[in-house]
Amino acid sequence: MHVDLFDFELPTDRIALRPAAPRDAARMLVLDGDATLDRGVRDLPSCLRPGDLLVFNDTRVIPAQLEGKRGDATIGATLHKREGPRRWRAFVRNGRRLRDGDTIDFGAGVTATAGDKGADGSFALDFAGAEPVELLLERAGRMPLPPYIASKRGGADARDAEDYQTLFAREAGAVAAPTAALHFTPELMAALEAAGIGHATLTLHVGAGTFLPVKADDTDDHRMHAEWGRIDAATADRLNAVRAAGGRVIAVGTTSLRLIESAADDAGQVQPFEGDTAIFITPGYRFRGIDGLMTNFHLPRSTLFMLVSALMGRERMLAAYAHAIAEEYRFYSYGDASLLLP
């Protein structure tokens, strides 16, 4: 499909620079069958049914943005994906000044040696020393805010260390938050439980590739980034049991959805999964493991807008986004939510 089919105009003042406070005070656009409803995140218990199951991503964002020097050259690095105990792939700013074998000094006693350059433009970085890389990042790294927020605010600040982690963040390794889950509070979780709506967790470490633009003119020519994820056997069994009992599996965030769909077989049974997924979902895809999605509002021409168009229909989503823009919903990572129930 031509990428231009997924384009739309978004006023820059619709991009949220801070999350709603409290988190569950955000608005929520509900597409339920043919209905389009303006609701709030706190209405979620009444928008779902007893027996439904929400599935959250429990990845934890690491301070994955680094600023360093190679000689006199300033090098910026955003870690993307772990490749070994001390090796990460990273997207590098000023990468033309970097060669295989160069050492980058990130300050605070943190150095790394540049390795091979990948087809996606990322470099391998091998961190020196014996300390866990996570400790090095705590000393030298910054929270990796999405570029469309960081560019308007001048980077992350102390508030983002809390704002950009979800209630479920446990497994360190993501370089971007699974932002749909940012809306959840203990109070909302208690209300969902009281309404008979359960929850489960899986892990998908979101990579910086999620922010890469689609440069191809046709979706067939776009190469999707890979991310590591895991669904254990107990979680897979629970997802299958919910659907067998007549409940719905509602993915919270596109990361949860992509991992569930990667693990689902042709019969719709979710299997245990551990490894990389590079699944790219576009219109025409047959969903196998999920029955709905809660997600934020996405970039024009992005793989994530293509995903929601696959779930609900492209024309339906273009109309829904036009409605959201007209009604002044807040967009992107710190913005409002949508609940998509085909």
Side-chain angles (χ1 to χ4, degrees), residues 27-324:
R27 299 169 69 192
M28 184 172 69
L29 181 64
V30 179
L31 305 186
D32 190 351
D34 294 330
T36 300
L37 307 168
D38 295 303
R39 306 290 292 272
V41 168
R42 289 173 181 161
D43 296 320
L44 186 60
S46 66
C47 296
L48 300 176
R49 306 169 189 159
D52 287 347
L53 184 77
L54 294 166
V55 186
F56 297 93
N57 184 358
D58 67 4
T59 190
R60 184 172 185 82
V61 183
I62 59 175
Q65 281 193 334
L66 298 160
E67 195 83 17
K69 291 283 190 179
R70 184 207 60 80
D72 293 332
T74 298
I75 303 292
T78 299
L79 303 189
H80 166 48
K81 186 172 182 292
R82 183 191 288 277
E83 291 192 332
R86 311 203 64 73
R87 169 171 280 215
W88 279 77
R89 294 214 72 84
F91 293 109
V92 173
R93 191 178 71 253
N94 209 12
R96 66 184 182 281
R97 305 290 297 273
L98 200 59
R99 298 291 182 269
D100 194 343
D102 284 349
T103 297
I104 311 168
D105 185 351
F106 292 115
V110 179
T111 62
T113 302
D116 64 286
K117 186 176 182 179
D120 60 359
S122 67
F123 285 83
L125 294 182
D126 292 297
F127 286 87
E131 291 178 279
V133 174
E134 287 76 11
L135 291 182
L136 302 181
L137 297 178
E138 290 293 338
R139 291 210 303 267
R142 298 183 318 228
M143 190 63 76
L145 278 187
Y148 44 76
I149 295 177
S151 63
K152 288 179 172 292
R153 286 200 4 221
D157 58 27
R159 279 181 57 184
D160 295 303
E162 180 177 349
D163 286 347
Y164 204 53
Q165 299 283 13
T166 75
L167 181 66
F168 312 93
R170 183 180 63 195
E171 302 290 339
V175 301
T179 54
L182 291 177
H183 299 295
F184 286 80
T185 62
E187 293 78 13
L188 179 57
M189 294 304 297
L192 288 162
E193 183 178 0
I197 298 157
H199 75 277
T201 60
L202 45 72
T203 304
L204 185 126
H205 291 323
V206 191
T210 192
F211 300 124
L212 291 178
V214 178
K215 295 181 178 179
D217 292 328
D218 193 280
T219 57
D220 289 343
D221 299 324
H222 176 68
R223 182 179 178 183
M224 193 70 175
H225 60 283
E227 296 166 319
W228 182 91
R230 179 180 61 229
I231 300 177
D232 62 31
T235 300
D237 288 345
R238 187 169 181 210
L239 268 59
N240 295 329
V242 163
R243 298 182 91 190
R248 297 176 297 180
V249 170
I250 310 296
V252 179
T254 56
T255 62
S256 294
L257 183 149
R258 292 177 64 242
L259 188 56
I260 294 169
E261 289 299 311
S262 298
D265 61 24
D266 288 340
Q269 292 290 297
V270 176
Q271 304 296 329
F273 183 98
E274 183 168 355
D276 286 349
T277 176
I279 189 171
F280 182 23
I281 296 174
T282 58
Y285 177 85
R286 181 177 68 85
F287 289 87
R288 301 174 298 183
I290 62 97
D291 304 292
L293 170 67
M294 182 175 173
T295 186
N296 287 15
F297 293 96
H298 303 295
L299 286 163
R301 299 170 60 93
S302 65
T303 61
L304 301 182
F305 186 69
M306 295 172 193
L307 183 155
V308 297
S309 295
L311 182 64
M312 301 300 294
R314 185 183 68 90
E315 292 185 0
R316 181 86 197 280
M317 289 311 304
L318 286 170
Y321 271 46
H323 172 86

Side-chain angles (χ1 to χ4, degrees), residues 16 18-27 163 182-183 330 334-336:
R18 297 285 185 186
R23 295 183 180 209
D24 58 7
R27 299 169 69 192
D163 286 347
L182 291 177
H183 299 295
R330 302 162 71 247
Y334 277 157
D336 294 318

